[in-house]
Amino acid sequence: MHPAFPFLIPTWKKMQTSDMESNFAVGGATALPAKFLTKKNIVNLFTNSSLKLQLDWMSKHLDCTVRTIEGGCLEKQKTSLFVLGEIGANDYGYALIEGKTMQEIKNLVPEVVAAIISGVRRVIMSYGAVRVAVPGIFANGCFPIFLTLYQTNNSSAYDKHGCLKEINSFAYYHNKKLQEAIQGLKREYPDVIIVYVDYNRAFEWLYDHAVHLGFDSKSTQKACCGIGGVYNFDFINLCSSEFSVCPNPNQFISWDGILLTKAAYKRMAEWLIDDMLPKLQCCV
């Protein structure tokens, strides 16, 4: 881990009393509420949690801990970094799994971006955040889950890395709209440092330099843990203790077809922190 950033404490099962870092992320959570997505016939099979629920959880935690610290909440937040996301990719991912058209998925973007921006406003207005990092989403067209789901014999559907162009283009579209909204927030809150965190550029860098970084060129799109097909991924037989894991996970980018390996996340984190730290104007 980069020395400037400690590991984050998961805060779901037990409210922490620490005044240090906390983590309110929920695996599989969406930016939009489950009820909203259900009306669009988009189902989240993993959790009903959304961005609002995670922010509510954060609010309860801060009310219980930070506000009790001598000196007050607002003073504490002057040295805090709020990271809001990455969020939104699951909304789109579940829609892709449901077989929604790209236009139907694009129609979700204004709502997803609005939910993210609302969350940023909330941490600024309610908790005096002065540094907020807002990540974009990955180019999911390189992930085994979607490469398997949308596999085609049409070679023009793939880019130089063998990733699906249309799905990756959608990630660029979302990220562009998010960055435009962030620019509006910067004008609205000129005294707050709001940084767009470019997950997609970091991911592209990882792919462009995969071999140099120690990844196997023949396995960049295969799941380390999984079975079946070109990409070692099968919706029926997802990664579990029943399947053998690849003997060299540090040479794989994808862990289970959905998440990346620790090695991939580590390389991305190094790129992101080096890119982000100067923009945050932190003294570390």
Side-chain angles (χ1 to χ4, degrees):
M1 189 65 181
H2 196 287
F5 290 91
F7 284 109
L8 299 181
I9 301 171
T11 324
W12 176 257
K13 290 186 177 179
K14 181 180 179 181
M15 285 296 181
Q16 303 290 332
T17 57
S18 169
D19 64 341
M20 300 297 287
E21 66 283 345
S22 294
N23 177 11
F24 306 97
V26 178
T30 54
L32 300 173
K35 287 184 178 179
F36 178 92
L37 293 173
T38 299
K39 290 179 181 178
K40 302 282 187 180
N41 294 317
I42 300 170
V43 179
N44 183 343
L45 298 175
F46 301 100
T47 178
N48 287 326
S49 295
S50 65
L51 177 58
K52 181 181 182 302
L53 184 144
Q54 293 172 79
L55 289 171
D56 289 345
W57 177 26
M58 182 197 72
S59 296
K60 183 183 294 185
H61 174 72
L62 292 180
D63 284 338
C64 292
T65 57
V66 180
R67 288 186 181 277
T68 66
I69 298 171
E70 186 176 355
C73 175
L74 295 181
E75 285 301 312
K76 186 66 182 176
Q77 306 319 350
K78 289 180 180 178
T79 58
S80 298
L81 171 64
F82 287 79
V83 182
L84 207 78
E86 170 261 349
I87 193 79
N90 288 332
D91 304 62
Y92 306 136
Y94 299 142
L96 284 168
I97 292 171
E98 293 285 350
K100 301 297 182 183
T101 67
M102 199 54 64
Q103 186 56 53
E104 287 176 312
I105 299 172
K106 275 190 173 183
N107 291 341
L108 292 174
V109 172
E111 299 283 354
V112 169
V113 170
I116 296 170
I117 296 304
S118 176
V120 177
R121 282 201 183 93
R122 182 172 173 181
V123 298
I124 293 172
M125 297 299 293
S126 297
Y127 294 100
V130 297
R131 287 183 179 84
V132 186
V134 187
I137 64 173
F138 290 90
N140 286 345
C142 298
F143 285 32
I145 180 174
F146 297 116
L147 286 166
T148 298
L149 187 63
Y150 289 92
Q151 189 171 357
T152 175
N153 291 325
N154 180 7
S155 60
S156 65
Y158 299 93
D159 65 15
K160 64 180 180 180
H161 295 302
C163 303
L164 290 162
K165 291 179 182 177
E166 188 174 26
I167 294 178
N168 282 358
S169 293
F170 173 79
Y172 303 142
Y173 177 78
H174 164 90
N175 290 337
K176 180 176 181 291
K177 294 300 181 182
L178 179 60
Q179 290 177 78
E180 290 172 356
I182 289 172
Q183 289 303 314
L185 274 181
K186 288 182 176 181
R187 291 189 291 270
E188 190 175 342
Y189 301 102
D191 296 326
V192 178
I193 298 170
I194 306 172
V195 175
Y196 171 73
V197 185
D198 204 336
Y199 276 20
N200 202 39
R201 274 188 63 201
F203 190 62
E204 287 180 340
W205 170 83
L206 180 73
Y207 254 86
D208 287 340
H209 300 85
V211 175
H212 176 73
L213 294 171
F215 297 99
D216 179 10
S217 62
K218 297 180 180 179
S219 304
T220 54
Q221 293 167 329
K222 293 183 178 181
C224 172
C225 179
I227 187 172
V230 177
Y231 305 104
N232 206 33
F233 180 87
D234 185 349
F235 279 96
I236 305 300
N237 298 298
L238 296 176
C239 174
S240 71
S241 58
E242 297 180 6
F243 299 109
S244 60
V245 175
C246 64
N248 50 346
N250 287 341
Q251 295 181 20
F252 278 65
I253 290 177
S254 177
W255 166 245
D256 59 358
I258 302 170
L259 302 173
L260 305 186
T261 59
K262 287 184 178 180
Y265 281 128
K266 178 178 183 294
R267 291 296 191 177
M268 282 187 62
E270 291 169 351
W271 188 97
L272 287 165
I273 291 171
D274 287 342
D275 180 69
M276 183 172 61
L277 267 183
K279 300 172 185 176
L280 289 171
Q281 302 175 34
C282 296
C283 296
V284 295

